[in-house]
Every structure is written in C-alpha cells, then in structure tokens.
Amino acid sequence: MTDRSTIGVGRARACANIALAKYWGKSDETLNLPAVPSLSITLDALVTETTVTLDDALDARAGDVVLFDQKPRDGEDKTRAVELLDRVRAIAGDERRARVETVNHFPTASGLASSASGFAALATAAARAYGVDASLEQLSAWARRSSASAARSLYGGFVELAAGVVGDDSLAARVVAPAEHWDVCIVIALASLKRKKTSSRDGMIETAKTSPYYPAWVACAPGYFREVRDGVLARDLEKVGVAMEASTFAMHASALAARPAVRYYAAATATLLECVESLRSDGVAAYSTMDAGPHVKVLCMRSDAERVREALVATGAAVDVRVARPGPGVQ
Ligand code: DP6
C-alpha cells in the first residue's frame, strides 16, 4: 500500500519545442501515434509550470478541476487533461480527483503552441501527485498519447520521435543531442495574436482524410527527418536548414491541398518568410519554419540571432520577436 499522507502534490516545469522535421498525420488515431518521424529543439524561453493536487473533496461526479492561468478551462483542453489523469489513476490504483493548475510563461498571450510543454509538465506532475514511479521514457509515452509533440518536451536539447507502429502504446521520444551540443537559436516572430482557426490535431486529421498530397508527404517525411538528424549531429546548419524548410513547406502544401484547405498562413507570414530569404542572400545563414499557425520561427547561429531579430522587427510585420535557445527537459 502506498502511504497516502506522503503523496498528493506534484509539480513540474517543461519547455515547449519547435520541430525541425515535422510531425503531421497519425498512424493510429486512438493511441495518437505519429505517421512520420520528427525531430525538435526544446526551447528555454517557452515554459509551462503545472501543479497537480489530489483533493479528497472532489468526488468522481464533481470531477477534476483544470485551471489554465488561474481560469477554469473546459472543452477539448480539459478533456485531454482528464484523460491523461485517468490513465495515471488507473496505474496508481487511486481514484481521487485532482486540481490541475497550469501557468504558461510564454512571451505574450501568443497563440504559440503550449500543448507540448503543457502535457509534458502534466504527465510529470500527475505521476508525482499519484506517487507513480515512472521513468522519463514512460512519461514521454504518456505525454505522447495526449499530444505527440509533447513526448519530445520531456527531454532537453535535440529530440526525436519515431513514427508509431499501430497498436504500440509504448512509443516515447529520445535525445539525439543535448542542449550544449550546438550554439543555434530559434528566433520567433509572431505574425498575429489571433487564436488559430484549426488546431494541429484537426488540421492533420483533415489533411489525411482529404488531401491528395498526404500520401506524398508521408512518403517524403522520413527523408527530411534523416537529413535533419544527420545535419544536427554534424552541426551542419545549411543541411538542417534546407531540410527543415523542405519539411515545413511539404507539410503545409499537404494541408493546403485538403478540402476545404487547411491554411495557416497570414499576410504577415509571407513578409517574414521573404525577410529570411533576403537575409540569406546577404550571407546570413537563417532558415524558416512554421507550425499550425501563422508565426515564423527562424533557425540561425547564436552569433547571428540579434541581426535576424532586428531584421524581422524592421519588417513591421511581426507583433513580437523573441530569441530562444536550446533548453532543458522536464524538471
Ligand atoms: C505542426 O502534437 O499538437 O507542430 O498529437 O494531435 O496533439 P496532436 O498534435 P500536435 O501536433 C504538432 C504539429 C506541428 C509539428 C510538430 O510539432 O512536429
């Protein structure tokens, strides 16, 4: 028997990540397994802190309480958090409900994806609160089941997540290289503060269902992933940058060909992408990526980050521009 007086509160802190080789599409929707391998950098500047407190006053009917930035959250976000808690409760053999408090320390109320850091922090804090002695690998697999990109946020530095084999719920991310491996930065230019219309989950499911380019994306993605991985290990910025842009635009092309189109570009996005191209023609090694939103994230060496930041600010197209570095895993 677990001594319940010694458990009941778990806290964790996790950083978001940006994929250099993109995950888009699922091989198994029920287990949330990715159809393609992906590789990301965990970023120090985008942090989520989560506290899970077991509360005897909350019965099964009242259910769990989920607060985001001190406000109660319902809908899809809450459902996914409760599903993760249910899985941890089943393992712990403990039915008690929990109060989940999540605070995002993101540069602004930005619409930047916080689900990766959020579910990485939640899996870790829930395991602590329910007294489950889980390895990082298990926590990564639990976070992946809630949001596949979250599996990568358990680890710091450069992290990969393989494509999933249908039915294998143990899939977890793993480290390719630690944060100190390479002095690169991601400069994040926010194109808009509007909430996105289509979540990454809905966007990729629609793409898989209706885009004639989805099979081509799934066929090409492992090649982009290998180029990115080899480039990261060799600290070859051009190799990583070229493959990252190919992965990004192929992912967005597959989404654009869905019916109706899944489009994340905004007018400002094109201006920011052009800025990065013109930096490159001026000899600055800088490469763009985008996720399920209009923001442009630029990969460059730390020594060029300030120049890249200034150029993006000077376009007038960004509402905020921040520099992030490779950061730590969950704490
Ligand atoms: C474009 O991890 O948010 O950011 O597993 O359905 O929760 P779910 O999707 P999610 O998708 C992230 C997609 C992406 C690319 C990436 O991070 O690899």
Side-chain angles (χ1 to χ4, degrees):
M1 272 290 283
T2 319
D3 174 4
R4 292 196 167 181
S5 61
T6 62
I7 58 172
V9 184
R11 285 197 185 85
R13 187 175 190 276
C15 298
N17 67 74
I18 301 283
L20 308 179
K22 303 294 175 188
Y23 145 58
W24 193 251
K26 300 173 195 295
S27 59
D28 182 330
E29 271 184 40
T30 312
L31 298 184
N32 201 38
L33 293 164
V36 299
S38 59
L39 194 154
S40 59
I41 309 187
T42 303
L43 295 176
D44 64 352
L46 310 173
V47 177
T48 298
E49 275 174 333
T50 297
T51 305
V52 174
T53 310
L54 306 194
D55 190 338
D56 291 320
L58 298 170
D59 57 20
R61 262 186 62 198
D64 301 293
V65 174
V66 178
L67 303 171
F68 277 53
D69 294 324
Q70 289 165 358
K71 290 186 210 83
R73 185 65 78 95
D74 290 311
E76 169 83 12
D77 290 336
K78 179 173 179 184
T79 309
R80 279 158 81 174
V82 170
E83 283 169 1
L84 199 164
L85 292 172
D86 283 341
R87 292 194 290 274
V88 176
R89 277 192 277 265
I91 293 164
D94 187 337
E95 303 247 293
R96 281 180 294 171
R97 304 291 130 169
R99 167 183 291 272
V100 176
E101 285 158 278
T102 285
V103 179
N104 284 321
H105 301 280
F106 279 40
T108 54
S110 64
L112 275 172
S114 54
S115 69
S117 49
F119 285 112
L122 178 60
T124 309
R128 285 266 167 76
Y130 284 97
V132 178
D133 189 15
S135 65
L136 264 184
E137 197 180 338
Q138 282 165 320
L139 294 174
S140 173
W142 297 351
R144 189 264 306 143
R145 177 86 182 255
S146 299
S147 186
S149 56
R152 302 184 308 235
S153 276
L154 268 295
Y155 300 98
F158 303 82
V159 183
E160 69 181 20
L161 179 65
V165 176
V166 179
D168 178 6
D169 200 17
S170 68
L171 180 71
R174 56 185 208 96
V175 175
V176 171
E180 316 73 69
H181 169 71
W182 200 14
D183 266 352
V184 286
C185 280
I186 297 274
V187 185
I188 303 166
L190 297 179
S192 146
L193 295 181
K194 277 199 218 136
R195 228 182 131 76
K196 61 187 171 198
K197 286 186 292 213
T198 313
S199 68
S200 38
R201 170 152 306 180
D202 292 346
M204 68 177 81
I205 290 174
E206 280 312 307
T207 303
K209 261 200 240 154
T210 66
S211 172
Y213 298 171
Y214 179 71
W217 156 252
V218 173
C220 294
Y224 304 137
F225 165 80
R226 279 192 297 275
E227 281 175 56
V228 166
R229 190 175 195 282
D230 292 349
V232 165
L233 290 171
R235 300 190 189 88
D236 181 339
L237 183 60
E238 188 181 350
K239 183 166 187 160
V240 175
V242 168
M244 176 184 80
E245 289 199 344
S247 170
T248 301
F249 292 119
M251 173 204 126
H252 282 273
S254 72
L256 277 169
R259 293 180 69 164
V262 175
R263 179 182 64 83
Y264 294 107
Y265 286 69
T269 312
T271 308
L272 295 166
L273 293 174
E274 267 169 35
C275 169
V276 175
E277 275 175 31
S278 79
L279 275 167
R280 253 199 331 263
S281 41
D282 292 344
V284 181
Y287 299 87
S288 301
T289 188
M290 286 145 46
D291 295 293
H295 318 302
V296 174
K297 295 126 187 190
V298 185
L299 176 70
C300 63
M301 295 310 298
R302 190 181 298 178
S303 50
D304 287 328
E306 193 46 35
R307 175 145 181 218
V308 171
R309 195 187 69 78
E310 281 169 9
L312 292 167
V313 169
T315 63
V319 287
D320 187 48
V321 185
R322 298 287 166 121
V323 178
R325 293 181 178 184
V330 78
Q331 290 162 330

